[in-house]
Amino acid sequence: MATAGNDSFIAEGMTPPQRILFPPEKICMVWQQRQSAGAGLRNVGNTCFLNAVLQCLTYTPPLANYLLSREHSQACRQQGFCMMCIMEAHVNKVLRSVSAILPLAVLRAFRFIGEHFQLGREEDAHDFLCCTVNAMQRACLSASNE
């Protein structure tokens, strides 16, 4: 089974991580603030796959709690594209708005999220989710190297 202490989330036989980006004890699985439904997302052409992924990520309480805290952007030193900063701005905008918004920051970063994505073309939501989460992880890993 799992071991005690900081390794309590590591299954038996697994090696512990070299570095912990976010301590498990700081993860809150429920909403820290009461949230009403935020803004909807406008579809521009074939962006329903993108909007579906953004809505899923926006309404995932542990991730939303972290992004609403703005902890990442306050410490971020990345130049240029940072998916965590983009998601942080997106979640804060969506959850503080009532009318539908266009996710412009994400659309502008579309090609950085995945080189193969093309605006106006139907894309796969699962592929976009994987690329988005990978881009968020790369942003966290590069920030932790400093």
Side-chain angles (χ1 to χ4, degrees):
M1 295 295 167
T3 59
N6 282 340
D7 298 331
S8 63
F9 293 99
I10 300 170
E12 186 177 324
M14 291 183 67
T15 58
Q18 294 176 359
R19 172 180 25 185
I20 295 176
L21 298 176
F22 197 75
E25 59 273 5
K26 286 182 71 178
I27 296 173
C28 183
M29 297 302 286
V30 297
W31 292 99
Q32 288 181 327
Q33 310 168 27
R34 187 176 189 147
Q35 295 293 332
S36 59
L41 301 177
R42 289 192 184 139
N43 188 7
V44 285
N46 293 321
T47 59
C48 54
F49 70 93
L50 178 142
N51 290 349
V53 168
L54 291 177
Q55 292 287 45
C56 288
L57 293 173
T58 299
Y59 292 97
T60 301
L63 178 61
N65 290 332
Y66 176 69
L67 297 173
L68 287 168
S69 76
R70 297 187 187 267
E71 189 175 319
H72 175 81
S73 64
Q74 291 170 2
C76 185
R77 302 289 175 254
Q78 267 188 283
Q79 300 294 314
F81 172 71
C82 174
M83 194 64 210
M84 285 300 290
C85 288
I86 290 170
M87 283 303 298
E88 185 177 286
H90 173 78
V91 168
N92 276 277
K93 183 176 183 179
V94 166
L95 293 178
R96 287 170 173 54
S97 300
V98 290
S99 59
I101 64 165
L102 185 62
L104 276 175
V106 178
L107 290 169
R108 285 187 190 118
F110 199 54
R111 298 283 283 168
F112 295 109
I113 297 168
E115 299 180 349
H116 59 287
F117 293 129
Q118 292 180 8
L119 281 175
R121 190 174 79 182
E122 288 185 27
E123 300 286 355
D124 181 70
H126 179 259
D127 186 24
F128 183 71
L129 172 64
C130 291
C131 290
T132 300
V133 171
N134 285 339
M136 291 167 64
Q137 182 179 15
R138 281 192 307 274
C140 291
L141 289 171
S142 73
S144 72
N145 285 340
E146 298 170 3

